[in-house]
Amino acid sequence: MEKVTMKDVAIKAGVSKSTVSQYINNRYEYMAPATKKRIESAIKDLHYIPNYVAKSLKQKKSATIGVIVANILHSFTTEIIRVIEDTCKQNDFHIFVCNADDNPEKEQSYINMLIAKQVDGLIIFPTTGNLESYKQLRKAQFPVVFIDRKMEPVIFPT
């Protein structure tokens, strides 16, 4: 299956790539309704899926938050994840949810993976044993919020 590009959408809709880009980025206040409709139709017909990785590289943000839970089996945890997901959806954000199983090594692995995936911030139900990692995140001014468990010393909002 060949990947459909923004250029393919532009050709089908009879517009420029920058016009398609404006549409994808919800900047169509100056776009004629007919143009908007042609782009919508071309996207649907071609089954175009925007490249969010390219978008995040250009904008230097991914609109994604990593959530690392200590134990996903706790009912409190699932309720909080649901609220986080609903709030993110309302604000056009995505989430990755990772379960650390109360294992500091697993939590550390998820922290590294999520940062490598360029998430914009982390919400962590912290385990014990990663204090140095949390300090490094703080030093790097990486946005983090702790939920459920208060760590001493207090490094991030909880």
Side-chain angles (χ1 to χ4, degrees):
M1 182 171 152
E2 195 170 317
K3 187 173 181 342
V4 177
T5 66
M6 193 183 302
K7 183 178 179 181
D8 298 326
V9 173
I11 291 168
K12 182 160 182 68
V15 297
S16 68
K17 266 179 54 177
S18 66
T19 302
V20 174
S21 176
Q22 288 174 3
Y23 174 86
I24 289 168
N25 291 300
N26 299 318
R27 293 189 313 254
Y28 30 70
E29 58 271 1
Y30 301 110
M31 192 176 293
T35 302
K36 185 178 171 185
K37 193 155 188 82
R38 285 197 321 270
I39 295 170
E40 285 173 5
S41 179
I43 287 171
K44 185 178 177 185
D45 292 349
L46 295 170
H47 304 286
Y48 174 70
I49 300 170
N51 184 336
Y52 288 105
V53 172
K55 182 178 176 180
S56 70
L57 287 171
K58 185 171 184 173
Q59 295 180 345
K60 296 193 181 356
K61 60 182 182 174
S62 65
T64 305
I65 295 173
V67 180
I68 304 172
V69 299
N71 189 330
I72 204 160
L73 296 177
H74 295 145
S75 61
F76 172 76
T77 301
T78 55
E79 289 176 29
I80 294 296
I81 291 170
R82 180 59 191 254
V83 172
I84 292 169
E85 180 184 29
D86 290 347
T87 302
C88 284
K89 183 166 177 42
Q90 290 171 357
N91 292 283
D92 293 323
F93 267 73
H94 301 96
I95 65 170
F96 288 123
V97 177
C98 304
N99 177 34
D101 287 321
D102 285 311
N103 179 327
E105 290 82 21
K106 195 171 178 184
E107 179 189 55
Q108 183 62 57
S109 174
Y110 283 134
I111 289 170
N112 295 341
M113 180 269 295
L114 291 166
I115 290 172
K117 295 218 177 265
Q118 303 290 311
V119 296
D120 294 327
L122 294 171
I123 298 173
I124 303 174
F125 294 62
T127 63
T128 57
N130 283 322
L131 185 58
E132 288 307 311
S133 179
Y134 303 148
K135 286 179 179 178
Q136 288 176 350
L137 290 169
R138 182 69 179 171
K139 186 177 179 182
Q141 298 182 335
F142 194 82
V144 176
V145 173
F146 285 160
I147 292 186
D148 188 33
R149 300 172 182 180
K150 191 172 184 178
M151 301 291 295
E152 292 295 337
V154 176
I155 298 173
F156 294 109
T158 304

